[in-house]
Amino acid sequence: MNAQDVSHFRLGRPLVVAIDGPSGSGKSSVSREVARRMHLAYLDTGAMYRAVTWAALDAAIDLEDAVRVEALAREVSLELSTDPARELVVANGRDVTAAIREPRISEAVSYVATTMGARAELISRQQAVIAECGHRIVAEGRDITTVVAPDAHTRILLTASEESRLRRRAAQLSEAGEAQESEALRAQVAGRDAKDSSAANFTTAADGVVTLDSSDLDFEQTVQAVIQIVVNNGE
């Protein structure tokens, strides 16, 4: 079996693909497409952190108040689509799919991601989603391979050079009509990675985690490479 024929791979059996990586590595778009082609559910764990950040800002909660942020993470109602063909994030009954991608959320989400009590609550929710999907899912984020799904069938650290990551993030923002100056973009990407690395290791592959450097790969090549890694792990 190769990366072109995966529709029946481990059909009827658990298949969790865990993908970690830094900002701009392409893990969200690549993971979503891998899930679509392999007929798996898809979990964007970063969307959970963003949704809690949105809820905190909406409630005027001080993001440096760890006690209140943790309480909010436990109390907030979250609904995420696990269909790779349908992006939907609902927080406290409101569709925040577009709102959580706004720059103000990107700039603030690390406060939630590094609040350990909130992180523990969201990790528990993420593991529940994986179970609800029958352990047939592609889950991506920053600590999926080591904390959320350490027993996943396939664990990948998707990385790329800083230049490549900045170029990809700039393209994403441009498509969304939110272009940023290069230095501001560099500060945002590097700054978020630096903050989040205090709570999760997504720069170095743990034992058993395959590193995939996509610096010189286009989107299709990266998707194919991820699928091939999954297939190579065998039945």
Side-chain angles (χ1 to χ4, degrees):
M1 180 178 290
N2 57 41
Q4 301 295 331
D5 178 21
V6 292
S7 59
H8 298 292
F9 185 70
R10 289 182 64 89
L11 190 64
R13 287 185 286 166
L15 177 54
V16 177
V17 180
I19 300 180
D20 285 332
S23 299
S25 61
K27 61 183 181 296
S28 295
S29 55
V30 168
S31 296
R32 187 183 296 275
E33 181 60 15
V34 169
R36 188 189 69 79
R37 296 190 192 183
M38 300 193 76
H39 303 288
L40 300 173
Y42 165 70
L43 175 60
D44 176 359
T45 64
M48 280 192 174
Y49 290 101
R50 287 174 172 272
V52 173
T53 303
W54 175 89
L57 295 177
D58 185 62
I61 290 175
D62 180 356
L63 290 173
E64 295 188 11
D65 187 337
V67 173
R68 293 192 67 190
V69 171
E70 179 180 345
L72 176 67
R74 291 196 303 269
E75 297 165 3
V76 66
S77 170
L78 294 177
E79 175 189 346
L80 276 76
S81 169
T82 56
D83 180 349
R86 177 175 180 249
E87 186 175 5
L88 175 67
V89 182
V90 178
N92 290 334
R94 291 174 60 181
D95 184 341
V96 296
T97 308
I100 64 171
R101 304 301 174 184
E102 294 174 356
R104 70 187 187 103
I105 304 298
S106 297
E107 293 167 3
V109 66
S110 288
Y111 287 103
V112 173
T114 56
T115 298
M116 300 315 293
R119 194 171 194 89
E121 168 62 24
L122 294 184
I123 287 170
S124 178
R125 294 196 190 204
Q126 292 155 17
Q127 292 171 332
V129 171
I130 292 172
E132 289 164 5
C133 291
H135 292 89
R136 289 188 59 80
I137 193 169
V138 178
E140 56 94 354
R142 291 175 181 266
D143 58 1
I144 315 304
T145 63
T146 55
V147 178
V148 178
D151 297 323
H153 175 273
T154 300
R155 297 183 296 154
I156 298 171
L157 175 64
L158 179 60
T159 188
S161 67
E162 182 177 275
E163 179 182 354
S164 297
R165 293 189 291 116
L166 289 171
R167 184 174 63 249
R168 291 169 185 168
R169 182 52 55 87
Q172 290 173 347
L173 292 173
S174 178
E175 289 176 5
E178 300 171 359
Q180 286 187 329
E181 294 293 332
S182 59
E183 287 308 310
L185 179 61
R186 185 183 300 275
Q188 181 187 101
V189 171
R192 184 181 171 197
D193 284 346
K195 290 177 182 177
D196 287 1
S197 64
S198 67
N201 179 17
F202 52 89
T203 58
T204 304
D207 290 344
V209 177
V210 178
T211 297
L212 173 59
D213 189 331
S214 66
S215 299
D216 298 321
L217 303 179
D218 63 21
F219 177 74
E220 177 61 25
Q221 291 171 328
T222 306
V223 169
Q224 291 287 333
V226 169
I227 292 175
Q228 194 62 62
I229 291 170
V230 177
V231 171
N232 287 348
N233 272 352
E235 297 289 319

